[in-house]
Amino acid sequence: MKRLVLLGASGSIGTQTVDVVLQHPDLFEIVALSVGKNIEKLKEILNDIHPKAVCVSDEHDAAALAEVYPEISFTCKEEGLSELASRDDYDVLVNALVGFVGFLPTLAAIRTNHDVALANKETLVVGGQLIYAALHQYGRKLYPIDSEHSAIFQCLQGSRRSDLKRLIITASGGSFRTKSREELKNVTVEQALAHPNWSMGAKITIDSADMMNKGFEVMEAHWLFDVDYDDIDVLMHRESVIHSMVEYRDHSVIAQLGAPDMRLPIQYALSAPDRFELHQDHPLDLAEIGTLHFEKPDLRRFPLLGLAYEAGRKGGNKPAVMNAANEAANLAFRNGEIPFLSIEDIVITSVYKCPFKEVKDVNDLIEANEWGNSYAHKMIEEIKK
Ligand code: MG
């Protein structure tokens, strides 16, 4: 029995994690979980799952819930997340939070001797070097939930690391892969949210449309697998059937394929190297799909992908500034405040304008995050005028 703390239970990855746990009640147990403001969803989850502790964003929600569920202890806000991650009665933290808010709970879990199943890629984008150091110091492991990284993790099983030549991360190209830059000027939020292959949360679907997400995934792969940026390639593959590949030094390429169903990477992050049954309504049927397509990514069409390589290589505060500016710009676009292409402008300008600084501790990261956030907001206000 693996005991879990699940952060971000009401989101897309969170609800699918609950589904995986309910498919295997003899193997997994959720001892604590968090949601943000979606109290209705929380109540649904509490019909099936009986945690000892729950964290919500709002203190009034926490107080009201404590009346209804006296057997559960309720905490709130960001401190509550790290509190759950630091508990001593569980084995693996499942971090399905969205954004920089996921960083401190990941660090808290590692520092209290827990492994982490990570869907919160921003944790590694902003503070990869601090997480990497903490994992080594405490002898803990990170298990990827991101589908590309789960694929790579699966392709690396049973092989020698010294034989690895490069990682090949596949990219669907998101909702606008067939649109020219000219056509991108007037796209709407609704169009951006209609991803052709994957059903995901709103923030990541927008990040996929401008390929910031793929840039983040390159950085995530760099820290997860300790591979140089020169040895991580992105390959456009519109069907999202091959979730990623690795090439070995004899040029043998190993790929992982599957239906676009996040429950597989979630479950494998919790079961590896074992595999358990997983019910799927539509498992992969290659004969039905027939043809798979591949092409090189065009970095002029998707400048944020190139920027992520640049920020990753540069390191220091640049990745955290990039992430913060993106969080602000992504949200402003979803709120209808700025056009789609302004996201790129804001993120690129923030990264270039920010004076370079080394990151030595969490405070440096928080400072970089605030710098990127406030610079992006200044630009957003200018655009709104
Ligand atoms: Mg992914």
Side-chain angles (χ1 to χ4, degrees):
M1 178 71 93
K2 227 172 225 178
R3 299 163 303 169
L4 313 176
V5 167
L6 169 60
L7 302 184
S10 62
S12 174
I13 297 293
T15 49
Q16 294 180 84
T17 302
V18 169
D19 188 42
V20 166
V21 168
L22 292 175
Q23 283 197 37
H24 302 285
D26 50 328
L27 297 169
F28 305 125
E29 178 193 5
I30 295 177
V31 300
L33 59 83
S34 85
V35 302
K37 296 195 169 68
N38 195 343
I39 304 303
E40 286 316 302
K41 188 77 210 175
L42 171 65
K43 288 180 174 171
E44 268 176 46
I45 295 170
L46 293 180
N47 287 333
D48 300 317
I49 301 276
H50 308 289
K52 294 184 215 164
V54 169
C55 176
V56 294
S57 320
D58 186 274
E59 54 190 325
H60 299 105
D61 284 340
L65 285 160
E67 302 275 317
V68 187
Y69 302 95
E71 70 285 8
I72 299 174
S73 88
F74 285 90
T75 55
C76 62
K77 302 185 180 165
E78 289 188 32
E79 302 84 72
L81 298 172
S82 289
E83 208 178 295
L84 294 192
S86 308
R87 292 175 69 91
D88 59 8
D89 60 353
Y90 82 103
D91 305 301
V92 181
L93 175 75
V94 180
N95 187 340
L97 296 167
V98 177
F100 180 60
V101 66
F103 177 79
L104 286 177
T106 305
L107 196 59
I110 298 167
R111 286 179 172 169
T112 49
N113 288 306
H114 299 96
D115 291 337
V116 179
L118 190 70
N120 176 253
K121 63 189 85 188
E122 293 91 341
T123 282
L124 289 174
V125 170
V126 298
Q129 66 192 94
L130 298 185
I131 297 293
Y132 186 83
L135 288 171
H136 283 268
Q137 187 183 343
Y138 291 90
R140 306 316 308 188
K141 284 203 167 72
L142 268 192
Y143 294 94
I145 287 184
D146 211 343
S147 63
E148 293 79 358
H149 305 77
S150 175
I152 291 167
F153 180 48
Q154 293 178 60
C155 296
L156 289 172
Q157 297 296 318
S159 298
R160 277 196 202 93
R161 259 314 297 273
S162 53
D163 292 336
L164 180 66
K165 185 172 170 60
R166 63 174 178 138
L167 308 180
I168 304 164
I169 300 178
T170 54
S172 72
S175 338
F176 299 142
R177 64 177 173 224
T178 57
K179 285 200 182 335
S180 67
R181 289 196 65 80
E182 190 57 33
E183 290 171 312
L184 288 178
K185 284 181 181 160
N186 298 311
V187 291
T188 64
V189 179
E190 291 68 34
Q191 289 170 318
L193 286 176
H195 195 284
N197 308 338
W198 292 92
S199 156
M200 306 181 287
K203 193 233 172 204
I204 190 175
T205 305
I206 303 301
D207 283 342
S208 299
D210 58 26
M211 282 186 74
M212 183 78 273
N213 180 58
K214 206 50 60 179
F216 284 171
E217 290 182 351
V218 169
M219 300 165 89
E220 189 185 1
H222 166 77
W223 291 113
L224 270 172
F225 304 112
D226 197 11
V227 172
D228 212 79
Y229 283 103
D230 292 343
D231 300 324
I232 306 173
D233 291 329
V234 171
L235 179 68
M236 305 301 287
H237 165 47
R238 71 179 79 146
E239 290 87 2
S240 299
V241 163
I242 295 180
H243 297 313
S244 279
M245 308 178 242
V246 305
E247 183 176 339
Y248 289 97
R249 59 177 163 186
D250 57 0
H251 298 294
S252 175
V253 175
I254 312 282
Q256 187 264 338
L257 291 71
D261 178 350
M262 286 307 297
R263 293 173 311 158
L264 172 59
I266 292 166
Q267 179 169 299
Y268 192 70
L270 300 175
S271 73
D274 297 329
R275 290 184 184 274
F276 304 145
E277 296 277 335
L278 178 70
H279 173 79
Q280 283 189 330
D281 287 332
H282 302 286
L284 180 64
D285 180 346
L286 283 174
E288 191 184 304
I289 292 164
T291 311
L292 298 179
H293 295 82
F294 305 96
E295 59 186 303
K296 269 193 159 185
D298 177 353
L299 295 187
R300 281 164 308 180
R301 169 67 181 74
F302 295 108
L304 292 181
L305 177 58
L307 182 77
Y309 273 96
E310 213 178 304
R313 286 186 171 112
K314 188 100 185 157
N317 57 350
K318 294 285 178 180
V321 168
M322 180 178 73
N323 176 68
N326 181 63
E327 281 188 28
N330 179 309
L331 182 63
F333 170 68
R334 278 184 281 145
N335 288 340
E337 296 172 343
I338 60 170
F340 181 71
L341 285 178
S342 293
I343 302 176
E344 291 174 355
D345 275 347
I346 291 168
V347 177
I348 292 168
T349 311
S350 301
V351 171
Y352 285 138
K353 291 283 181 186
C354 168
F356 178 82
K357 212 181 147 193
E358 291 291 348
V359 166
K360 295 191 185 69
D361 56 32
V362 174
N363 290 330
D364 293 334
L365 277 190
I366 292 171
E367 188 185 299
N369 185 62
E370 280 167 5
W371 197 98
N373 183 48
S374 88
Y375 194 88
H377 275 106
K378 267 183 242 156
M379 287 188 72
I380 292 165
E381 289 310 314
E382 280 302 310
I383 294 165
K384 278 161 71 179
K385 275 181 191 163

